[in-house]
Amino acid sequence: MVTGSTRRIDTPAMGTTLSMYGPPEAFDEGWEAVVATFRREERRCSRFRPDSELSRLNRRAGSWTRLSDGLGSLLRYSLDRAASTEGAFDPTVLRAVESAGYDRDLDEVIRAARGVLGPPVPCGRWAEIELGDGEVRLPPGVGLDLGGVAKGWSVDLAVDAAISAGIPWVLVAAGGDLRVSEHAPLLPIDVDDPEVAGGSILTLLVDRGALATSSTAKRSWGTGLHHVIDPRTGAPAITDAIQVTVWGPTCADAEVAATVALLRGTRSVHDAPSVVVGVDGTVRHSIRGDRGPRLEAA
């Protein structure tokens, strides 16, 4: 992805691969800060860890529960985005995701080969969440799934932590999400081919901001069974797009935009600088170079 004297390092985190790219100066210190940030946020936000703060909050739905400042900030951000997207982005889809079969780590779901879709579960209850001074009350029966947005949020925090540790510039990536700090050179970023492992469909040149990808192909365990829930139906989304990659100023913003764009399908391509792959294999993009990334010359 990056050439020259740039270093790269990877480790598993949040059910995916966490990577950092940057110059040699203060690289080790930056990486230590990135890993510590992700470990902390995973302890807060993982729905697969029974000891996480999020799991404890979900178990206490119907009761007032104290929040850490970190989870409180992420929850407020998520509720703001739910409101601004009129519920297209919905953090209260947990029970619907579980009913669709994604009720454990993805590797375990795939090994179980369930292939059976449970009944749709109503979503859209984010507006009923009550926030107080350092505490929250989820409606009875409601659970939060902050997976994608928590990953993007963690990437943003990790970039800030690495810069604070002294690295001049940095790129932090986690799965399909990444962010490039200020003062970075122009970096080539491949957009994955959703149907060819290890393949790419085009290359973007990025020196700032973030990219996030949402797909119905990557976290799938059967025909029509995937992790992207349409809040309007409470079931896995039916869309004419198989993958959407969106640029945004922050990784959390890009993650939200990518989720909403996937629900909207190929017509979303002009909503933001993006690359959209249709179920028919057609690639559309709105990368212009006057905002966000540029296309690498052929």
Side-chain angles (χ1 to χ4, degrees):
M1 180 184 294
V2 183
T3 58
S5 61
T6 303
R7 291 180 59 187
R8 166 182 173 165
I9 191 168
D10 309 298
T11 192
M14 287 192 178
T16 188
T17 299
L18 172 65
S19 305
M20 189 182 93
Y21 307 77
E25 181 183 347
F27 186 91
D28 293 338
E29 292 84 352
W31 178 239
E32 183 177 342
V34 166
V35 171
T37 298
F38 263 77
R39 298 295 182 234
R40 181 192 69 218
E41 296 307 308
E42 189 167 21
R43 289 193 298 271
R44 278 180 178 156
C45 303
S46 173
R47 70 180 177 92
F48 300 113
R49 292 182 55 153
D51 61 340
S52 73
E53 185 179 1
L54 181 66
S55 293
R56 180 175 65 89
L57 174 59
N58 284 334
R59 287 193 297 268
R60 289 180 52 81
S63 301
W64 284 97
T65 303
R66 298 294 301 177
L67 284 178
S68 67
D69 290 342
L71 185 57
S73 295
L74 175 56
L75 178 55
R76 285 179 172 81
Y77 173 87
S78 299
L79 295 177
D80 286 345
R81 293 303 178 269
S84 66
T85 62
E86 298 181 334
F89 169 75
D90 185 352
T92 64
V93 297
L94 176 60
R95 306 308 174 204
V97 172
E98 292 174 335
S99 184
Y102 195 6
D103 55 359
R104 67 196 86 174
D105 181 84
L106 184 62
D107 288 341
E108 296 179 26
V109 172
I110 293 173
R111 282 197 298 270
R114 305 178 93 185
V116 177
L117 180 65
V121 175
C123 303
R125 300 188 66 188
W126 52 270
E128 301 174 41
I129 294 175
E130 299 174 73
L131 287 169
D133 185 12
E135 58 183 0
V136 63
R137 180 181 180 275
L138 303 182
V142 167
L144 297 174
D145 180 3
L146 302 177
V149 70
K151 181 155 62 77
W153 184 266
S154 299
V155 167
D156 290 328
L157 293 175
V159 166
D160 291 343
I163 294 299
S164 294
I167 196 167
W169 64 266
V170 70
L171 182 156
V172 176
D177 295 349
L178 64 88
R179 183 168 176 184
V180 179
S181 73
E182 293 182 358
H183 310 301
L186 202 58
L187 304 174
I189 310 294
D190 291 335
V191 176
D192 291 344
D193 187 323
E195 298 184 313
V196 179
S200 63
I201 53 176
L202 53 78
T203 299
L204 300 177
L205 299 175
V206 182
D207 61 0
R208 65 190 185 281
L211 292 170
T213 296
S214 187
S215 172
T216 61
K218 294 297 178 67
R219 291 179 180 264
S220 175
W221 50 95
T223 302
L225 299 178
H226 55 79
H227 74 295
V228 183
I229 297 295
D230 188 336
R232 297 167 297 186
T233 65
I238 299 174
T239 169
D240 69 345
I242 191 174
Q243 176 178 285
V244 178
T245 299
V246 178
W247 181 91
T250 71
C251 203
D253 288 345
E255 172 66 37
V256 171
T259 299
V260 174
L262 189 63
L263 294 177
R264 283 176 47 77
T266 56
R267 65 192 174 116
S268 71
V269 67
H270 297 296
D271 293 350
S274 59
V275 180
V276 179
V277 183
V279 294
D280 59 358
T282 303
V283 178
R284 302 169 174 84
H285 74 83
S286 54
I287 307 300
R288 299 289 180 260
D290 55 339
R291 56 175 182 148
R294 301 177 234 166
L295 284 175
E296 183 177 61

